[in-house]
């Protein structure tokens, strides 16, 4: 049996109001005129609807009481023209509001992306942000997200304005009641139905919310049953690329995924589980609600008829007042539903608000980075230990190493031995848990973060190129030096491919996300572009994490033979599995299980026959000899 899903914790009214206030404040910051325009639209639409009712009542009253046709005709035409003009204005207004909502929803999304783009990298990876992103995704309400807040907010406003309108128009009706009549009885009945109706709405709402929540706050167990999670796996997150899903096809994984989606979701177990939820089981309350609605309608008409019987109420007024009362009844229950929906919709935005309010945890430093024309930088790791956020295991333990500019340092070791982690710490994507990293004797935390980041050019294993122009990718900027872009591309071995791009050349778009003319590139070509981008940055440190893994042997040899030239007087750190490609480095650091176990030149390390390096080298040598 499925484990019970958690219900949303009940919040005090004050907290709901606070949430609504926070969301409204954010909406105002996105577009100041949005709320005022909505107020105008709601006022106008209410005026038009009551205007129509008043006009009809007037016409009926005049017909019943004898009338001059020409005069009445003129007034009707005038009234209809005014109402239709008002309708047109409302149409234009609503269209503007719709477009504004769309634009605001886009800016809202952009705000989140901008926040994620600018926050500490270590936070992106943290369990807290993971949970927050998950919540935001679930609470996005199948994409309706902030739109639900717009709709519900407008719904509440509209209902309130309509109730006020109905009261104002309905006031004269009460003058028809005599003191001694039984009009109050109808009034009591009307109020009773009204409150019961509202009560029922509240009851149903909380039941429905429980049911609703089941789909929106799934337990880990339930996630297996929800199609979007499983298909995510198939396509690699929401933003699927056509390249993803290859493995699904090759290994025919469709069946196993289907097992966890349709078969389970539509299976008896899930159905039985779902139907027992109170939200679904409360079908009986629909019956009561219908009865209450009919009773309240009878109440509304009864009151008006009573009033009419007491005085001489014209037929048009009778219909108008009955409509007002019925409207009041409907809108009163609606204001409750829309209000509750609004509080839920606002609550569903709290995840995003929390994300937007997150502040960076990493100390950003204040010390200006010394810009040395001689590039004399000396780096030292002193007893550094580090665990990834949320992880129990040390990725790097008591790590110490020194190197200075101009050196070629190679880092080798088995998968998972902490090589990439060391690079990430050096670039301050994370801060060590223990120990310190020094540049020219100063703890790197003290340097201004933005200036410090300029010291490094990195090609990560999982580098990303963007669906932008080739030149913009290389310069990582909208402004670029064409000559330099071409030179870097040539140094990275992309020259030949560039020629094939034809006229557009470095202005060609990568991938087809924004243009059908975008170019597709192979894994090796992409790696060359990533290397070209690292060269373009002209940073004193070049860090290459498995830079040639996707390159063919010829391209690899070309890169390495060029590399001394490319790296020039810069410090280069290479991470590589292929020990043969590290031989040219001045110093080789050997990692094993998060620790630095050996350092030295290739010859020195080989001499230590029982060492990790020798065993890795021998294993690879055998492999190459066999090949
Ligand atoms: P290498 O580069 O030597 O292959 P890494 O430095 O990438 O190894 O990883 C070292 C250890 O840290 C591994 O056990 C890996 O599973 C773990 N690790 C790497 N990245 C993360 C992460 N983002 N969160 C948690 N653990 C991680």
């Amino acid at each position: 049996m499925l484990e019970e899903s958690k219900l949303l914790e009940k919040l005090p009214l004050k907290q709901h109001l606070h949430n609504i206030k926070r969301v409204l404040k954010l909406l105002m910051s996105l577009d100041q005129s949005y709320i005022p325009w909505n107020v105008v639209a709601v006022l106008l639409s209410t005026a038009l609807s009551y205007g129509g009712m008043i006009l009809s009542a007037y016409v009926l009253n005049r017909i019943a009481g004898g009338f001059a046709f020409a005069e009445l005709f003129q007034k009707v035409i005038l009234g209809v023209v005014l109402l239709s003009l008002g309708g047109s204005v409302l149409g234009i207004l609503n269209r503007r509001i719709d477009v504004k909502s769309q634009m605001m929803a886009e800016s809202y999304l952009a705000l989140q992306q901008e926040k994620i783009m600018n926050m500490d990298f270590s936070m992106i990876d943290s369990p807290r942000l993971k949970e927050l992103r998950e919540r935001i995704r679930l609470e996005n309400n199948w994409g309706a997200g902030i739109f639900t807040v717009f709709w519900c907010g407008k719904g509440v406003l509209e209902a309130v304005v309509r109730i006020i309108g109905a009261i104002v128009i309905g006031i004269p009706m009460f003058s028809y009641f005599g003191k001694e009549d039984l009009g109050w009885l109808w009034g009591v009945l009307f109020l009773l139905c009204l409150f019961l109706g509202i009560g029922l709405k509240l009851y149903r709402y909380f039941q429905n919310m429980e049911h609703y929540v089941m789909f929106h706050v799934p337990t880990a167990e339930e996630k297996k049953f929800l199609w979007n999670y499983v298909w995510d796996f198939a396509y690699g997150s929401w933003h699927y690329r056509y390249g993803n899903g290859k493995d699904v096809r090759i290994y025919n994984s469709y069946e196993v995924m289907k097992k966890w989606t349709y078969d389970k979701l539509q299976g008896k177990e899930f159905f039985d589980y779902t139907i027992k939820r109170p939200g679904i089981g409360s079908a009986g309350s629909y019956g009561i609600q219908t009865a209450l609605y009919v009773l309240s309608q009878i109440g509304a008409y009864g009151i008006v008829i009573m009033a009419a019987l007491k005085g001489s109420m014209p037929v048009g007024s009778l219909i108008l007042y009955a409509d007002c009362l019925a409207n009041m009844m409907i809108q009163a229950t609606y204001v409750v539903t829309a209000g509750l929906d609004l509080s839920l919709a606002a609550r569903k935005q709290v995840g995003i608000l929390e994300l937007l309010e997150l502040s960076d945890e990493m100390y950003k430093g204040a010390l200006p980075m010394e810009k040395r024309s001689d590039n004399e930088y000396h780096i030292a790791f002193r007893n550094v230990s580090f665990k990834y956020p949320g992880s129990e295991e040390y990725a790097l333990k008591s790590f110490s190493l020194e190197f200075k500019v101009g050196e070629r340092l190679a880092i080798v070791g088995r998968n998972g031995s902490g090589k990439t982690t060391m690079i990430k710490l050096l670039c301050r994507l994370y801060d060590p848990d223990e120990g310190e990293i020094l540049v020219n004797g100063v703890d790197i935390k003290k340097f201004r973060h933005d200036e410090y980041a300029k010291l490094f050019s990195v090609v990560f294993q999982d580098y990303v190129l963007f669906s932008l122009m080739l030149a913009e990718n290389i310069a990582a900027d909208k402004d670029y030096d064409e000559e330099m872009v071409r030179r870097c591309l040539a140094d990275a071995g992309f020259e030949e491919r560039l020629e094939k791009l034809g006229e557009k050349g470095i202005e060609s778009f990568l991938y087809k996300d924004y243009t059908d003319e975008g170019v597709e590139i192979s894994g090796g070509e992409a790696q060359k572009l990533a290397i070209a981008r690292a060269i373009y940055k002209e940073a004193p440190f070049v860090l290459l994490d498995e830079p040639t893994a996707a390159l063919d042997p010829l391209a690899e040899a070309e890169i390495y033979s060029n590399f001394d030239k490319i790296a020039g007087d810069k410090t280069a750190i290479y991470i590589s599995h292929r020990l043969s490609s590290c031989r040219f480095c001045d110093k080789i650091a050997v990692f094993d299980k998060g620790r630095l176990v050996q350092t030295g030149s290739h010859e020195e390390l080989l001499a230590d026959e029982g060492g990790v390096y020798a065993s890795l080298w021998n294993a690879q040598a055998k492999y190459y000899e066999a090949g």
Side-chain angles (χ1 to χ4, degrees):
M1 191 59 215
L2 290 170
E3 138 201 22
E4 282 284 300
S5 58
K6 279 187 235 81
L7 294 182
L8 271 185
E9 182 197 339
K10 283 205 167 65
L11 289 188
L13 180 68
K14 211 171 122 197
Q15 188 60 43
H16 280 298
L17 293 177
H18 179 62
N19 288 344
I20 294 173
K21 204 171 123 197
R22 281 167 88 191
V23 175
L24 288 182
K25 212 168 130 197
L26 186 83
L27 291 183
M28 283 297 278
S29 74
L30 291 174
D31 187 335
Q32 295 234 327
S33 64
Y34 185 76
I35 295 177
W37 277 122
N38 269 293
V39 173
V40 173
V42 164
L43 289 175
L44 184 57
S45 96
T46 310
L48 288 174
S49 113
Y50 285 123
M53 278 160 63
I54 292 171
L55 181 65
S56 313
Y58 172 78
V59 173
L60 287 179
N61 285 348
R62 292 295 303 273
I63 292 172
F67 66 105
F69 180 79
E71 187 217 333
L72 184 62
F73 184 72
Q74 266 179 9
K75 287 195 172 151
V76 169
I77 293 293
L78 182 67
V80 170
V81 168
L82 283 177
L83 287 173
S84 86
L85 274 178
S88 306
V89 172
L90 182 63
I92 295 168
L93 213 58
N94 278 335
R95 176 92 187 111
R96 286 185 74 91
I97 288 171
D98 281 349
V99 174
K100 266 181 187 292
S101 309
Q102 186 75 45
M103 286 166 68
M104 282 163 73
E106 295 289 337
S107 331
Y108 188 53
L109 206 65
L111 267 188
Q112 297 164 45
Q113 285 161 352
E114 202 178 318
K115 178 75 192 180
I116 291 179
M117 206 152 63
N118 287 313
M119 71 173 44
D120 287 348
F121 181 78
S122 53
M123 282 170 74
I124 297 184
D125 207 17
S126 69
R128 169 139 189 248
L129 200 80
K130 207 166 152 244
E131 191 220 304
L132 205 55
R133 287 173 75 167
E134 180 85 335
R135 248 176 66 200
I136 292 170
R137 184 178 131 172
L138 291 166
E139 294 174 353
N140 190 26
N141 196 9
W142 309 110
I146 193 79
F147 285 108
T148 325
V149 178
F150 297 150
W151 297 324
C152 297
K154 197 167 176 182
V156 172
L157 185 68
E158 196 145 22
V160 169
V161 171
R162 278 171 188 255
I163 291 171
I164 296 172
I167 292 172
V168 170
I169 298 169
I171 280 174
M173 179 191 75
F174 295 99
S175 67
Y176 286 92
F177 287 115
K179 276 195 180 115
E180 72 290 3
D181 73 34
L182 289 179
W184 61 270
L185 189 64
W186 283 114
V188 168
L189 191 65
F190 175 77
L191 288 177
L192 199 69
C193 291
L194 185 69
F195 288 125
L196 276 174
I198 291 175
L200 199 73
K201 281 262 180 232
L202 283 168
Y203 171 71
R204 282 197 50 73
Y205 176 83
F206 283 114
Q207 283 187 323
N208 278 339
M209 188 168 87
E210 195 184 12
H211 167 66
Y212 187 66
V213 162
M214 190 189 78
F215 288 98
H216 287 75
V217 191
T219 59
E221 169 78 358
E222 282 169 357
K223 279 184 193 166
K224 281 205 250 90
F225 294 80
L226 299 177
W227 64 270
N228 56 340
Y229 284 95
V230 182
W231 294 131
D232 250 22
F233 170 48
Y235 287 107
S237 178
W238 283 118
H239 312 284
Y240 61 86
R241 296 184 68 92
Y242 50 80
N244 294 342
K246 286 194 287 287
D247 304 272
V248 176
R249 284 158 184 79
I250 298 298
Y251 295 103
N252 197 15
S253 325
Y254 177 70
E255 287 304 324
V256 66
M257 301 223 178
K258 202 164 147 278
K259 169 186 149 199
W260 287 108
T261 52
Y262 299 128
D263 295 355
K264 286 279 179 188
L265 196 62
Q266 295 179 356
K268 191 166 171 347
E269 190 189 359
F270 197 80
F271 182 80
D272 286 349
Y273 169 70
T274 310
I275 202 150
K276 282 188 195 125
R277 309 292 301 183
I280 298 250
S282 68
S285 65
Y286 278 110
I288 305 173
Q289 199 171 341
T290 310
L292 281 174
Y293 178 73
V294 174
L295 274 176
S296 66
Q297 294 286 306
I298 295 174
Y301 282 91
I303 294 168
V304 178
I305 303 260
M306 279 295 293
L309 291 176
K310 287 281 135 191
S312 51
M313 189 190 286
V315 63
S317 305
L318 191 143
I319 293 172
L320 176 66
Y321 296 145
D323 278 351
C324 281
L325 279 179
N327 227 328
M328 223 190 287
M329 178 90 188
I330 292 166
Q331 297 301 334
T333 45
Y334 186 67
V335 88
V336 176
T337 326
L340 290 166
D341 282 344
L342 175 64
S343 68
L344 184 61
R347 186 176 183 166
K348 282 170 176 276
Q349 300 307 308
V350 169
I352 294 175
L353 292 173
E354 267 176 39
L355 173 86
L356 295 177
E357 284 163 10
L358 277 183
S359 45
D360 283 346
E361 285 160 2
M362 207 177 234
Y363 175 61
K364 291 293 181 303
L367 205 63
M369 192 71 228
E370 191 186 7
K371 285 191 195 70
R372 301 188 64 117
S373 50
D374 58 0
N375 271 346
E376 269 302 315
Y377 295 103
H378 176 269
I379 291 186
F381 279 71
R382 295 263 164 84
N383 222 9
V384 168
S385 296
F386 174 72
K387 283 181 197 163
Y388 279 96
S391 169
E392 293 295 314
E393 304 278 319
Y394 276 102
L396 215 55
K397 182 75 186 147
S398 310
F399 173 73
S400 296
L401 181 73
E402 296 194 10
F403 49 93
K404 57 178 194 299
V405 87
E407 275 189 343
R408 303 279 185 268
L409 173 72
I411 302 179
V412 300
R414 294 189 175 88
N415 282 336
S417 57
K419 305 183 294 291
T420 305
T421 306
M422 179 223 151
I423 301 283
K424 288 184 192 161
L425 289 175
L426 179 59
C427 301
R428 266 207 96 195
L429 291 178
Y430 298 90
D431 278 337
D433 296 319
E434 292 155 37
E436 53 185 6
I437 305 170
L438 309 171
V439 168
N440 294 348
V442 179
D443 189 332
I444 58 171
K445 288 184 196 165
K446 295 194 177 144
F447 292 118
R448 282 191 48 174
H449 196 258
D450 50 342
E451 289 187 11
Y452 180 72
K454 289 190 182 138
L455 289 185
F456 303 97
S457 267
V458 194
V459 181
F460 284 106
Q461 247 172 0
D462 53 354
Y463 64 87
V464 173
L465 296 171
F466 308 109
S467 304
L468 304 171
M469 265 189 224
L470 192 56
E472 289 169 336
N473 264 289
I474 303 305
D477 201 337
K478 56 185 169 39
D479 302 315
Y480 50 85
D481 177 333
E482 276 189 40
E483 259 328 290
M484 202 165 143
V485 168
R486 277 181 229 285
R487 203 175 58 236
C488 295
L489 285 169
D491 286 346
F494 196 82
E495 205 168 21
E496 225 175 280
R497 180 72 175 92
L498 182 63
E499 273 163 27
K500 285 198 211 143
L501 292 180
E503 231 175 75
K504 284 235 160 86
I506 59 169
E507 286 180 4
S508 308
F509 267 82
L510 274 196
Y511 313 122
K512 298 196 188 296
D513 293 315
Y514 300 124
T515 164
D516 289 342
E517 288 166 15
V519 293
E520 290 298 331
I521 48 175
S522 73
E525 287 163 348
Q527 204 160 36
K528 288 177 181 175
L529 293 182
I531 293 173
R533 179 169 64 184
I535 303 171
Y536 187 97
K537 192 173 171 188
E538 289 197 306
F541 291 89
V542 185
L543 316 178
L544 305 175
D545 191 351
E546 297 282 352
T548 52
L551 299 184
D552 57 65
L554 276 180
E556 185 187 8
E558 197 185 332
I559 292 276
Y560 280 118
S561 62
N562 258 346
F563 215 89
D564 263 347
K565 192 181 87 195
I566 296 168
D569 56 359
K570 297 178 187 107
T571 304
I573 303 181
Y574 305 94
I575 294 183
S576 185
H577 282 108
R578 285 181 232 178
L579 302 196
S580 55
S581 29
C582 300
R583 291 174 71 168
F584 65 96
C585 289
D586 310 319
K587 187 161 156 185
I588 301 173
V590 187
F591 280 50
D592 193 39
K593 299 188 186 107
R595 289 177 184 271
L596 176 68
V597 290
Q598 285 177 294
T599 46
S601 67
H602 172 69
E603 285 70 26
E604 285 164 359
L605 291 171
L606 263 193
D608 180 1
E609 284 176 16
V612 176
Y613 187 84
S615 78
L616 285 173
W617 178 265
N618 291 333
Q620 291 193 2
K622 253 187 262 163
Y623 170 74
Y624 285 122
E625 277 159 18

